[in-house]
Each structure stands twice: as C-alpha cells, then as structure tokens.
C-alpha cells in the first residue's frame, strides 16, 4: 500500500516536471514572446523627453484640428448648415480619407497583429480570424446604434416641434374667430355656410398658410378637420439635425477608443527610434481626425458648452494615454497575453466604428449631397482630396 502511494506521487511529480520542461522549451523556442523588440534602441531618459514633446505636439495638433471648424462656425466663417465653403468641403473629404485609412490600414492591421501574436495560444486565437470578426460586429453594432439614436433624436425633436406649432396655431387663429371660442375647420358645413364668405376666405387663407409652413405641397384634411401635409417642411431639417448629432457623438466614441490605445503604445515605449516617427505620424493623424470631428460637431449645432467639452475630450485623450503609458512603462509588458488580447479587441472595435463612420456618415453623406453632385469642379476636387487623405494616412504605416 505504502509502495503504491509512493509510486503514484512520484509519477505525479514526473508529469509536472515534464510539463514544466515543455513550457520552458516553448519559451526558449520563441524568444520574441515576452521580449521587447526595441531593446536595441533603448534609452529611457531620451524616450521620456520625446514623450513630453509628443504630449505637447499631439495636444496642439488636436486642438488646432478640432478648433478650426468650431471657430469658423462661431465667427460665421463657415456655414455649417449648408455644408460650408468649397474649401471646407475639400478639407472634410481629405479628413474622411484619413479616418478611412486609419480604420483599414492602422487599426485593423494592429488588431490582426495583436490577436495572432505568437505569445497567444493556438486555440482559439490562431484558429479563427477574431480581429475581422470583431470589427464586423463593431460595424453592425454601430449601424444599430446609429439607427436607434437617430430615431430617438428625430422623435424627440418632432414632439417638441409639434407642441410649439400647436401653441402658435392656437394663438394665431384665436383672434380670427370673432368670439371667445376658436372656430375649427371640422364644424358642420351648414354652420360654415351661414358665415360671411369674405370672412371664410380670410380664415381659409390663414389655415392654408399655417399648413403650408409645415408641409410640402398641399395640405390634406380628414373627416375630423385635421390638416395632414404630404411631407413636413421641418421633417428634412429635423432629420438632418438629428443625423448630425448622432454622427458627431458616434464618431467621437470611435476616435476616443483608439486614441487611448495609440497613446498607451507610444507611452510604454522606451525606444527613441520608435517614438520619433510616431510623433509626426500621430500629430498629422490627430489634426485631420480633429478636423473631421470638428466639422461634424459644427454641423450638429451643439451649444458652445457641449461643443467645447467634446473638443477637449478629443484633444486630451491621446496625450492622456501617453502619460498613462509613461507611468506604467516600468512594469508594463506589451507582449503579455492579457495586454495583447485587450489591445487587439479594442483595435478591432475601433476599426469597425471608424470604417463604418467614414464610409456611411462622412463619405456617402457628403459625396451624395447636392453641393457635390451639381458642381463638377467640386465633385472632382472632392474625390481627389478623399484619395489624397486616404493614401497619405496609409503611407504613414511605413513609419508608424
């Protein structure tokens, strides 16, 4: 009995030692796992100085980029409701190309690299393309959020407009009745025939004018005397305003999610060779992302306080990420499994959001508008600006 117990325990120890040796062999066979590729250019004091410079440069680029459209709206330099001047349209097309390339070339590629890293186990990370799958779910989720948020804002504004319209209609029609009661359109025809024809003509003109102010075409009247327009004048404006509000908020959400990641990536690096090209690339990227976001905020007609808060959040996110990365750089391991999984998932989500927003809410919305379609020169120039923005941002992948 005693001998069998000793044999069993020795067998267990042998199995544990074999497993430990297998783990050691796998780590030694893969020296890149858990190591930093930038060790050959490691210089912590120089890297810290470059990080401080990067915080200032990227912060300034973001403020300038997001501030140009907002300042233009504030001082009436840009007509944000009609889409702005030709220069503004071209700059926004360039920025849309930058965001599209950011999603496809930078975020999605970084997600693939993180989720297929050799430090992650083969099952399940090497057996399924999680990066593309998560990006697809993110784009579909953005579509659903876009739809629900737009419906919410449109209904909210429509209810508010109907209440204001009813109050104005009641106030304007009250003096015309000639008594303390307001004459309704749905009164009995016999009573209406007893009225003076000229008075009826005046009231009819007023009702038609009120209906025309809120409907395209001629108003229709049901058997209760209620006016129904074929299409409300304010409907297009309400829909446009609601869309701009939703686009601005979702675009900022997508930008902020990946700004944290790129800020952390720069902040944890100890290599001046890596940080130097990132400063120029991220400053360029931050400026044009800010310009696109600022244009969306401007078109959404937010209050000055809301616009300021959205702009500040955008401008501070990447520098804050750099600061957090620098604070944890001494013990942060970018090749740990948890870090790789979190980075890959967040990059995939950001890629899906940015690709959807660029294609649907920035490129399609602007390039299918009348201002572009009915002006051949603006149309060609917009496409050139779009391709230049996308190719310029894609070219930065050579260095960053």
């Amino acid at each position: 009995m005693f001998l069998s117990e000793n044999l069993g325990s020795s067998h267990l120890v042998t199995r544990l030692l074999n497993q430990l040796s297998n783990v050691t062999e796998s780590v030694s066979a893969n020296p890149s796992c858990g190591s930093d590729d930038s060790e050959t250019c490691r210089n912590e004091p120089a890297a810290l100085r470059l990080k401080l410079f990067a915080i200032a440069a990227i912060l300034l680029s973001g403020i300038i980029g997001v501030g140009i459209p907002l300042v233009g709206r504030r001082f009436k330099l840009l007509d944000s409701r009609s889409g702005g001047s030709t220069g503004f349209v071209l700059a926004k097309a360039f920025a849309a190309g930058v965001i599209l390339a950011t999603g496809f070339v930078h975020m999605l590629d970084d997600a693939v690299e993180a989720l297929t890293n050799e430090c992650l186990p083969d099952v399940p990370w090497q057996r399924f393309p999680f990066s593309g799958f998560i990006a697809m779910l993110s784009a579909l989720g953005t579509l659903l959020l876009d739809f629900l948020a737009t419906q919410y804002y449109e209904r909210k504004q429509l209810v508010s407009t109907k209440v204001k319209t009813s109050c104005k209609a009641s106030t304007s029609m009250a003096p015309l009745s000639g008594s303390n009661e307001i004459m309704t359109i749905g009164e009995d025809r016999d009573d209406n025939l007893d009225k003076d024809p000229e008075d009826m003509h005046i009231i009819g003109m007023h009702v038609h004018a009120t209906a025309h102010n809120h409907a395209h075409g001629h108003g229709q009247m049901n058997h209760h005397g209620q006016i129904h327009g074929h299409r409300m004048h304010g409907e297009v404006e309400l829909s446009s305003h609601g869309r701009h509000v939703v686009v601005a908020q979702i675009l900022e959400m997508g930008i902020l999610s990946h700004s944290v990641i790129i800020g952390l990536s720069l902040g944890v690096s100890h290599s001046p060779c890596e940080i130097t090209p990132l400063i120029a690339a991220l400053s360029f990227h931050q400026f044009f992302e800010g310009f696109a976001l600022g244009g969306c905020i401007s078109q959404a007609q937010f209050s000055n306080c809301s616009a300021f808060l959205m702009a500040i959040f955008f401008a501070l996110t990447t520098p804050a990420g750099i600061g957090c990365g620098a604070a944890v750089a001494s013990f942060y391991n970018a090749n740990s499994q948890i870090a790789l999984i979190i980075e890959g998932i967040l990059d995939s989500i950001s890629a899906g959001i940015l690709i959807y927003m660029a294609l649907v809410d920035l490129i399609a919305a602007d390039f299918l508008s009348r201002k572009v379609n009915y002006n051949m020169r603006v149309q060609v120039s917009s496409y050139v600006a779009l391709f230049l923005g996308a190719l310029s941002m894609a070219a930065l992948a050579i260095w960053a």
Side-chain angles (χ1 to χ4, degrees):
M1 188 69 164
F2 179 75
L3 181 60
S4 62
E5 289 180 357
N6 285 339
L7 291 175
S9 60
S10 62
H11 179 66
L12 179 61
V13 172
T14 304
R15 289 182 59 186
L16 291 175
L17 290 175
N18 289 335
Q19 291 180 0
L20 182 60
S21 63
N22 291 335
V23 171
T24 305
E25 289 175 0
S26 64
V27 172
S28 60
N30 184 12
S32 62
C33 185
S35 64
D36 192 354
D37 295 336
S38 62
E39 291 292 330
T40 56
C41 193
R42 186 184 181 98
N43 188 336
E44 294 187 15
L48 181 59
R49 290 193 295 270
L50 286 174
K51 291 173 190 178
L52 295 177
F53 177 75
I55 291 175
I58 293 173
L59 177 63
L60 182 62
S61 299
I63 291 175
I64 294 175
V66 75
I68 290 175
L70 299 180
V71 171
R73 183 195 73 169
R74 178 68 177 82
F75 294 98
K76 310 298 182 183
L77 300 176
L78 299 174
D79 186 4
S80 57
R81 288 171 292 184
S82 63
S85 62
T86 301
F88 179 73
V89 171
L90 298 182
K92 194 177 176 186
F94 187 92
V98 169
I99 292 178
L100 182 64
T102 300
F104 272 118
V105 180
H106 294 269
M107 293 293 100
L108 191 57
D109 182 70
D110 290 345
V112 172
E113 183 179 354
L115 295 181
T116 58
N117 193 284
E118 295 177 347
C119 296
L120 296 179
D122 290 342
V123 180
W125 302 106
Q126 310 295 337
R127 303 293 180 87
F128 187 80
F130 281 99
S131 53
F133 178 71
I134 296 173
M136 178 193 70
L137 293 181
S138 175
L140 293 177
T142 305
L143 171 64
L144 180 60
L145 179 62
D146 197 359
F147 170 76
L148 294 176
T150 302
Q151 292 293 313
Y152 169 78
Y153 278 107
E154 287 182 354
R155 289 176 183 175
K156 181 179 178 181
Q157 294 173 15
L158 193 58
V159 169
S160 177
T161 303
K162 284 183 177 179
V163 171
K164 293 179 181 179
T165 302
S166 300
C167 295
K168 290 181 180 179
S170 300
T171 304
S172 59
M173 291 178 65
L176 297 174
S177 63
S179 63
N180 293 331
E181 296 181 357
I182 300 176
M183 191 186 85
T184 62
I185 302 175
E187 289 181 346
D188 203 337
R189 289 181 178 271
D190 294 335
D191 295 337
N192 292 341
L193 291 174
D194 294 337
K195 302 289 182 180
D196 189 282
E198 187 173 350
D199 292 338
M200 289 297 299
H201 178 66
I202 294 174
I203 295 175
M205 289 175 60
H206 178 78
V207 172
H208 174 73
T210 304
H212 184 72
N213 285 334
H214 302 287
H216 286 297
H218 298 289
Q220 291 183 345
M221 203 180 299
N222 65 9
H223 63 280
H224 295 296
Q226 297 173 340
I227 298 174
H228 294 282
H230 290 295
R231 188 174 182 184
M232 299 179 66
H233 272 304
E235 185 178 352
V236 177
E237 185 176 352
L238 287 174
S239 177
S240 176
H241 180 264
R243 289 291 305 137
H244 289 315
V245 171
V246 173
V247 167
Q249 293 179 340
I250 297 180
L251 180 61
E252 174 144 14
M253 179 181 67
I255 291 175
L256 294 184
S257 62
H258 85 265
S259 295
V260 175
I261 297 298
I262 60 179
L264 283 172
S265 299
L266 190 152
V268 298
S269 176
H270 296 290
S271 171
C273 301
E274 282 187 359
I275 298 175
T276 302
L278 278 175
I279 295 176
L282 294 182
S283 298
F284 174 87
H285 171 263
Q286 195 81 347
F287 175 82
F288 283 102
E289 263 195 350
F291 191 91
L293 178 62
C296 292
I297 295 174
S298 178
Q299 288 181 317
Q301 299 291 307
F302 286 108
S303 64
N304 290 335
C305 180
S306 298
F308 176 78
L309 289 177
M310 292 181 71
I312 287 297
F313 270 111
F314 163 77
L316 290 178
T317 304
T318 302
I322 297 173
C324 293
V328 302
S330 59
F331 57 87
Y332 176 81
N333 181 12
N335 288 321
S336 67
Q337 293 187 4
I338 295 178
L340 289 170
I341 292 172
I342 293 176
E343 179 183 351
I345 291 176
L346 290 180
D347 281 342
S348 299
I349 293 174
S350 299
I353 295 174
L354 293 181
I355 290 170
Y356 172 87
M357 297 301 295
L359 291 175
V360 177
D361 289 329
L362 294 178
I363 297 175
D366 289 343
F367 280 73
L368 298 180
S369 66
R370 290 184 178 181
K371 183 175 182 63
V372 174
N373 285 339
Y374 291 105
N375 189 327
M376 181 60 68
R377 184 175 63 86
V378 175
Q379 189 176 28
V380 174
S381 300
S382 297
Y383 276 102
V384 172
L386 175 67
F387 278 88
L388 281 177
L391 294 176
S392 299
M393 192 63 201
L396 290 179
I398 299 174
W399 301 280

